[in-house]
Amino acid sequence: GKTKPRDFMLPVRAAVEAGLMSRLTFEDYGATGLMNNQCESTYYDYLKEDKIIHQFVSHYVDYNISAAFLSLLVSYGLLKEYDPYLTSLAAIAVISDMMPLKEANLALLRQGITNIRRYKFLPLKYLFEANSNKPIKDIDEDDISYNIVSPLNSLGRMCRGIETNNAVKFLLSNTDKEVTRYGNFILDINKVKKEKIKELISSLETYEKDEKIIITYIPSIDEGLVGIIANTLLSKYHKSVIVFTDKEKEEGILVGSSRSCSPFNMLEMLTYCKDLLIAFGGHKNACGASLEKKNLDKFKELVNFYLKDYVPQKIKEKTILLDVEEINSTTFSIVETFGPFGNDNPPPLFEINVDPSRLFYRNGHSLTKVNKDGRIVIFNYESAMLSLSRVTLKGNLKKSYFAGRYSY
């Protein structure tokens, strides 16, 4: 199987040398509806449409695709084929850049996962197996997010200068020695990142339930960590979040990263506050911004004014009733055909009615076998549930690998 692509930087160098500055056609790159950059730029008025490629400005598609996707299409124009490894790297970027899983993005991610399962690319296999004991032939979007994207992103978050090039060297490695050398460096940095994030999160204040948005300032931390902290707070409080810290080497300037809790549109809110911002950009789910530190309180006041009449839209949950005996490989295979799941393509939510006497309870958690292959896993519930005559559970169907066998 393939362990690395041909010269990974060839498309980039060739594009620069060829002076690709004019508007490119679909025929040039052998695809339809493809052009982009990963952000919805807030500076359209300054752009000349015949000199750029952008999914909105150039009127190609009406949703975000990542810059890696565009690079893949450029590589096709130069190599005259979609290299499986380059396709897989572009697919990984769909997850890392939080792209909407629809149409071209969904198709790209599906193909990327298929390639990784088939070719077992050496660098990707190394990261995956360092954090998972299941076979790479069954890798899925969650594995890519936690076991590949997270370690690779750690270099950009924690390293500066030439050290970040180790990620490129790692992805181009085609021997066990090279993969181990650069892979261990990446894993060590990722471990440091996790410990630092845990320390920072534990030091933050507790936020009130009635706060519509969390805006927090953490002095003098690594700029690369603010996005991860924003993600962590979003998951913990289920609220939109903006995290600011001091910009390196620019006294009095703050840089921030934001994450929005659906269906709130973060980009629209920052656009409303643009007069107080030095720069901003992104999309509805994730943005970056900078402002003068002296304007932070004014920014919070303006955000609160913007949100004064905002009432979070209640999204009615659509569930599928499932019998406990249907928690099995057959049902999972049907669900899997609609994946991969993620941003704008959530997994189906199932509803199961169970007799509490069948649930095994210990220390707020439950891991209960309900049939030959099926298990129900519940976190953080009260033992009082066990006294009820019937319990309705809502959740997603997952495939779990442990001790050499799968359960659902």
Side-chain angles (χ1 to χ4, degrees), residues 155 162-171 182 185-186:
L155 269 69
I162 197 170
E163 279 190 332
T164 58
N165 290 340
N166 284 324
V168 177
K169 294 176 182 178
F170 172 73
L171 292 173
Y182 296 115
F185 176 82
I186 291 170

Side-chain angles (χ1 to χ4, degrees), residues 193-201 225 228-229 232:
K193 180 197 72 176
K194 288 181 177 180
E195 292 172 349
K196 185 65 176 177
I197 291 295
K198 184 178 180 180
E199 176 187 335
L200 289 169
I201 292 296
L225 298 179
I228 302 174
I229 295 173
T232 304

Side-chain angles (χ1 to χ4, degrees), residues 307-372:
L307 297 174
K308 181 178 61 174
D309 299 321
Y310 175 77
V311 178
Q313 183 180 351
K314 292 185 178 180
I315 302 176
K316 186 178 180 180
E317 292 182 329
K318 295 181 180 180
T319 61
I320 301 172
L321 188 62
L322 196 69
D323 187 89
V324 292
E325 298 302 324
E326 294 177 301
I327 303 176
N328 54 42
S329 59
T330 301
T331 304
F332 180 80
S333 295
I334 295 172
V335 171
E336 197 174 27
T337 62
F338 296 94
F341 300 107
N343 187 21
D344 279 9
N345 186 38
L349 184 65
F350 291 103
E351 182 175 318
I352 304 173
N353 295 310
V354 297
D355 181 349
S357 64
R358 297 185 66 178
L359 299 178
F360 175 74
Y361 172 86
R362 183 172 63 187
N363 299 326
H365 304 308
S366 172
L367 175 59
T368 304
K369 187 172 182 179
V370 292
N371 58 46
K372 179 183 177 182

Side-chain angles (χ1 to χ4, degrees), residues 2 6 26 29-32 34 69-77 79-88 108 111 115 119:
K2 291 200 173 191
R6 64 191 66 192
F26 295 132
Y29 293 101
T32 59
L34 44 72
F69 197 160
L70 175 59
S71 298
L72 175 67
L73 296 164
V74 171
S75 77
Y76 177 87
L79 304 176
K80 305 306 179 186
E81 69 171 6
Y82 285 110
D83 182 273
Y85 188 59
L86 293 178
T87 301
S88 299
L108 175 60
Q111 186 60 53
N115 290 347
Y119 294 110

Side-chain angles (χ1 to χ4, degrees), residues 45-327:
D45 292 342
Y46 298 94
L47 301 176
K48 297 180 180 180
E49 293 190 23
D50 62 339
K51 300 296 183 183
I52 62 171
I53 304 171
H54 188 283
Q55 74 270 33
F56 303 129
V57 177
S58 304
H59 309 293
Y60 290 115
V61 295
D62 59 358
Y63 56 91
N64 281 301
I65 61 176
S66 72
F69 197 160
L70 175 59
S71 298
L72 175 67
L73 296 164
V74 171
S75 77
Y76 177 87
L78 297 167
L79 304 176
K80 305 306 179 186
E81 69 171 6
Y82 285 110
D83 182 273
Y85 188 59
L86 293 178
T87 301
S88 299
L89 295 181
I92 290 172
V94 172
I95 295 177
S96 65
D97 290 345
M98 299 176 64
M99 294 294 101
L101 284 183
K102 58 190 291 186
E103 301 178 26
N105 285 328
L106 186 58
L108 175 60
L109 183 54
R110 283 175 176 166
Q111 186 60 53
I113 290 175
T114 298
N115 290 347
I116 295 171
R117 289 173 175 176
R118 178 182 177 185
Y119 294 110
K120 303 175 180 62
F121 304 110
L122 196 56
L124 306 183
K125 183 172 182 284
Y126 185 83
L127 287 183
F128 172 73
E129 292 184 344
N131 295 285
S132 176
N133 61 357
K134 81 178 187 182
I136 195 171
K137 68 180 180 65
D138 293 318
I139 193 172
D140 59 27
E141 63 272 24
D142 291 333
D143 297 318
I144 291 175
S145 178
Y146 295 116
N147 301 331
I148 296 178
V149 170
S150 182
L152 286 174
N153 278 352
S154 66
L155 269 69
R157 309 286 186 180
M158 302 295 294
C159 298
R160 289 293 178 268
I162 197 170
E163 279 190 332
T164 58
N165 290 340
N166 284 324
V168 177
K169 294 176 182 178
F170 172 73
L171 292 173
L172 291 175
S173 298
N174 64 348
T175 67
D176 289 332
K177 182 178 180 181
E178 288 178 326
V179 166
T180 301
R181 176 187 174 188
Y182 296 115
N184 284 345
F185 176 82
I186 291 170
L187 293 173
D188 288 344
I189 295 296
N190 192 47
K191 183 178 179 181
V192 173
K193 180 197 72 176
K194 288 181 177 180
E195 292 172 349
K196 185 65 176 177
I197 291 295
K198 184 178 180 180
E199 176 187 335
L200 289 169
I201 292 296
S202 64
S203 67
L204 295 178
E205 61 184 297
T206 301
Y207 300 95
E208 301 297 329
K209 290 184 177 181
D210 59 352
E211 290 185 71
K212 293 182 178 180
I213 188 171
I214 295 172
I215 302 177
T216 188
Y217 163 63
I218 309 175
S220 302
I221 65 169
D222 195 300
E223 292 178 25
L225 298 179
V226 291
I228 302 174
I229 295 173
N231 265 332
T232 304
L233 293 177
L234 172 66
S235 299
K236 182 176 181 179
Y237 293 100
H238 302 289
K239 295 176 182 290
S240 297
V241 180
I242 307 176
V243 179
F244 286 104
T245 192
D246 300 286
K247 185 172 179 60
E248 295 177 9
K249 300 180 181 179
E250 290 192 36
E251 188 175 349
I253 303 299
L254 302 182
V255 292
S257 184
S258 63
R259 301 291 183 270
S260 64
C261 188
S262 184
F264 183 73
N265 190 315
M266 183 64 70
L267 184 61
E268 287 185 357
M269 189 197 75
L270 291 180
T271 302
Y272 178 83
C273 302
K274 63 182 180 180
D275 290 343
L276 287 175
L277 300 174
I278 297 172
F280 70 99
H283 48 81
K284 66 177 183 178
N285 298 310
C287 291
S290 60
L291 80 165
E292 293 184 72
K293 188 174 182 179
K294 66 181 181 181
N295 288 331
L296 180 58
D297 288 337
K298 291 180 181 179
F299 175 75
K300 290 180 179 179
E301 291 174 3
L302 190 57
V303 168
N304 288 330
F305 181 80
Y306 177 83
L307 297 174
K308 181 178 61 174
D309 299 321
Y310 175 77
V311 178
Q313 183 180 351
K314 292 185 178 180
I315 302 176
K316 186 178 180 180
E317 292 182 329
K318 295 181 180 180
T319 61
I320 301 172
L321 188 62
L322 196 69
D323 187 89
V324 292
E325 298 302 324
E326 294 177 301
I327 303 176

